[in-house]
Amino acid sequence: MDFIANLPPHFFRIPIALTLVISLVFINALIMVYLERKIAGHMQFRLGPMEVGWHGLLQTAIDAVKLMSKQLIVPDKAHTRLFRIAPLLAFTPAVLPFAVMPFAPNLQAVDINIGVIFIIAMASLNVMAIFVAGWASNNKYALLGAMRSVSQNIAYEIPVLLSLLSAVFVVGSFSLGDIVGYQGKIWLFIVQPLAFLIYFVSSVAETNRAPFDLPEAESELTAGFHTEYSGMAFALFFLGEYTEMFVVSSIATAVFLGGWHGFPLPFFEYSSVVWFLLKTYFLMFLMIWFRWTFPRVRFDQLLNFSWKYLIPFSLVNLLITAVVVKL
Amino acid sequence: MEKFIENIKTGALRETQDYSDQGLVLKFAQAETLLKHCQANSLWPMTFGIACCAIEMMSVGMARFDASRYGAEVFRPSPRQSDVMIVAGTVNKKMAETVVTLYEQMPEPKWVIAMGNCAVSGGPFAIEENYTVIEGVDKLIPVDVYVPGCPPRPEALLEGIFKLQEKITGKRHPFPQNRHP
């Protein structure tokens, strides 16, 4: 027993956290796909899934079982090994940012002092997976989609980083625990409204969601980078996308919307987790709302919007923040 | 053997053929049933319309008819991710190659619904002077459900989806919520 007692606390903490995080990821995907179809339905004056379970609650689970039963096709001219590994690559880095996410005062796996940078680094690995998928498929649509995805992500990574940096300047720390702790008095959303706006717009673009879903533009590119993927491999890409949505929304919550701060809910002890998840799911609802409201942008519009407006504005915002903080 | 040929001649085979016996030699009854139910309730069609019947197919996905209630509104643009191919329209000889390619690109298990008279039997093109149109898509690919009409009403296509569910699971309503007459 001495041996176990002498082990460092991280030794237990990280496996437990990982188990929780992976179950959270799958549950989140189940909820999000259902919500997406249901909200889309109601926005278009339809009902959405109704038949399976109460109001179609089991629809996503059933889709998952069906996807597992589908044949996995590897095209003849594709690079087999890369083709197989790409969906895993898309899914894994999307999970890692949860290791530093502060869900509640004591519910954070590790609070490293460069939390924000770690999350940004992990989130941008997703592009690699998309490019590997597009390249290995050996399909013109997949390759075009992957190329679009890379240029889009490079263009929108910069405003994300700059807007987060101006929030970091105000707090004076990269650690997410510190950033959330700072917002007990006032949410950074009020101090840095422009940074929040820029961050949210560019994070929607970074998750490849409509109106910026050019990498998988159905009307031009069949299905973009996952054209050749069938069954569960395709599902893993979608799992990665919904996890990415959750990650960017929870960063927005932690950095700008006060994280787990909020007035204590009646009859409920763990109200901080509830507040965190409520804010995150509200932002995700906004993303779904965008998708079913706006038409897709053209590619030049997309890049111009980033390079001509978002990056200059976020640079000016960063400059003003730096001057004000110094004074 | 003689009976078999006679069946083909009279077309009786179509009714007597029982698909439920195919598959693995070793059977897992419960799992098979569950799998079949899942497949029947998430039939993702391919975004693929050849002619005017496609307009009716689109309206099945829209507000009034709403195929999404049965989980069939996810129109996948890529054949690799779709389960059912709705051949909506006239297939001519130039298009035939594409139709067969698309069918072969779909992963198993896959199904085909022939929608409209042209896809069922050639419709108004099944005349002596016809030289371009393939009279019935079942000359190219195996068809599971025929939906006649010129064009069929959206309700008819919904009924076709129900028939396909019935064919897969053996029951008309695999999940007993919201029973429709």
Side-chain angles (χ1 to χ4, degrees):
Chain A
M1 288 312 283
D2 276 356
F3 170 68
I4 294 173
N6 287 336
L7 284 172
H10 281 332
F11 206 82
F12 300 104
R13 211 172 164 155
I14 287 175
I16 294 169
L18 269 180
T19 319
L20 285 177
V21 157
I22 287 173
S23 47
L24 174 74
V25 161
F26 279 92
I27 292 166
N28 171 56
L30 277 182
I31 295 171
M32 282 312 290
V33 174
Y34 174 71
L35 279 184
E36 175 116 45
R37 289 172 77 169
K38 212 63 188 170
I39 291 171
H42 281 283
M43 279 182 185
Q44 296 173 351
F45 235 71
R46 298 186 280 118
L47 287 172
M50 285 295 281
E51 207 70 356
V52 190
W54 185 79
H55 278 244
L57 264 177
L58 291 175
Q59 185 66 52
T60 330
I62 272 194
D63 280 341
V65 174
K66 182 214 72 177
L67 282 169
M68 273 187 242
S69 78
K70 292 291 272 187
Q71 181 190 7
L72 277 175
I73 294 176
V74 179
D76 204 18
K77 298 229 172 94
H79 191 299
T80 316
R81 220 171 299 154
L82 286 181
F83 187 82
R84 290 238 166 118
I85 217 167
L88 293 176
L89 270 182
F91 172 64
T92 325
V95 177
L96 285 174
F98 288 108
V100 294
M101 206 63 79
F103 289 102
N106 292 319
L107 198 64
Q108 187 180 13
V110 274
D111 188 10
I112 55 178
N113 54 2
I114 49 160
V116 175
I117 294 181
F118 176 76
I119 287 177
I120 296 283
M122 287 303 136
S124 58
L125 273 180
N126 195 31
V127 197
M128 284 294 286
I130 290 176
F131 197 71
V132 167
W135 183 262
S137 299
N138 205 356
N139 174 315
K140 58 187 169 202
Y141 299 121
L143 187 58
L144 277 172
M147 276 158 59
R148 281 183 178 190
S149 171
V150 170
S151 55
Q152 175 177 337
N153 269 276
I154 288 172
Y156 279 86
E157 203 99 298
I158 303 165
V160 162
L161 197 59
L162 288 177
S163 53
L164 283 181
L165 210 57
S166 41
V168 165
F169 272 21
V170 176
V171 181
S173 167
F174 271 116
S175 146
L176 277 167
D178 289 354
I179 292 175
V180 175
Y182 177 86
Q183 296 176 80
K185 293 169 286 179
I186 186 165
W187 292 3
L188 278 178
F189 162 61
I190 297 154
V191 185
Q192 294 277 1
L194 187 62
F196 174 67
L197 211 63
I198 290 172
Y199 173 77
F200 195 58
V201 170
S202 17
S203 58
V204 171
E206 234 194 88
T207 46
N208 296 333
R209 281 186 66 82
F212 306 108
D213 60 342
L214 284 145
E216 46 198 294
E218 297 169 358
S219 41
E220 317 137 39
L221 289 183
T222 312
F225 60 88
H226 53 62
T227 303
E228 293 285 353
Y229 283 91
S230 62
M232 216 47 206
F234 157 71
L236 272 182
F237 275 114
F238 256 63
L239 205 60
E241 187 188 312
Y242 282 108
T243 315
E244 197 91 331
M245 264 173 84
F246 192 87
V247 168
V248 294
S249 305
S250 44
I251 300 171
T253 308
V255 177
F256 293 105
L257 292 186
W260 34 261
H261 287 297
F263 59 85
L265 298 171
F267 319 115
F268 202 73
E269 221 174 320
Y270 307 101
S271 55
S272 46
V273 188
V274 176
W275 273 113
F276 190 90
L277 290 179
L278 267 181
K279 289 170 186 170
T280 310
Y281 275 95
F282 172 70
L283 288 179
M284 273 149 87
F285 169 71
L286 278 186
M287 282 186 177
I288 295 176
W289 196 354
F290 285 168
R291 174 162 177 184
W292 299 101
T293 309
F294 296 127
R296 189 181 300 128
V297 296
R298 231 172 36 229
F299 200 66
D300 56 325
Q301 291 171 335
L302 172 93
L303 286 183
N304 279 348
F305 185 58
S306 170
W307 293 106
K308 284 188 184 164
Y309 300 100
L310 289 183
I311 293 177
F313 273 113
S314 51
L315 273 174
V316 169
N317 189 42
L318 185 65
L319 192 72
I320 294 171
T321 313
V323 170
V324 170
V325 166
K326 191 71 188 163
L327 292 178
Chain B
M1 193 65 198
E2 276 167 17
K3 188 152 186 283
F4 181 72
I5 292 167
E6 198 179 306
N7 273 343
I8 290 178
K9 276 180 187 162
T10 55
L13 196 68
R14 201 167 284 156
E15 280 90 62
T16 55
Q17 213 163 12
D18 184 13
Y19 286 87
S20 59
D21 269 356
Q22 293 177 355
L24 298 167
V25 179
L26 188 65
K27 297 262 183 199
F28 299 92
Q30 300 283 318
E32 284 279 298
T33 318
L34 181 72
L35 210 58
K36 287 268 166 16
H37 276 60
C38 293
Q39 284 165 351
N41 272 280
S42 77
L43 291 167
W44 294 0
M46 199 193 301
T47 318
F48 169 63
I50 308 175
C52 34
C53 283
I55 305 293
E56 303 296 315
M57 184 177 78
M58 286 171 217
S59 89
V60 166
M62 297 295 149
R64 192 170 286 255
F65 303 100
D66 194 17
S68 79
R69 290 175 292 160
Y70 312 99
E73 98 278 30
V74 193
F75 279 90
R76 293 307 308 169
S78 166
R80 300 270 192 231
Q81 294 142 16
S82 41
D83 309 300
V84 51
M85 179 175 181
I86 301 174
V87 185
T90 322
V91 184
N92 49 33
K93 281 182 184 153
K94 214 169 183 182
M95 194 69 196
E97 215 175 309
T98 318
V99 171
V100 173
T101 311
L102 282 173
Y103 178 73
E104 282 169 354
Q105 279 175 339
M106 284 161 70
E108 291 284 350
K110 53 190 170 186
W111 296 277
V112 176
I113 295 178
M115 183 188 179
N117 283 350
C118 299
V120 171
S121 67
F125 302 101
I127 48 170
E128 214 173 293
E129 292 84 359
N130 165 35
Y131 59 96
T132 48
V133 174
I134 298 205
E135 293 173 7
V137 75
D138 50 4
K139 293 193 172 156
L140 303 170
I141 50 178
V143 175
D144 291 281
V145 176
Y146 295 86
V147 182
C150 191
R153 295 269 313 160
E155 295 98 316
L157 182 55
L158 266 183
E159 182 64 29
I161 292 171
F162 295 155
K163 282 283 176 206
L164 189 54
Q165 287 183 345
E166 195 179 335
K167 186 179 177 183
I168 297 166
T169 57
K171 257 185 284 177
R172 183 170 166 83
H173 289 292
F175 287 90
Q177 280 89 24
N178 306 321
R179 262 179 202 285
H180 298 274

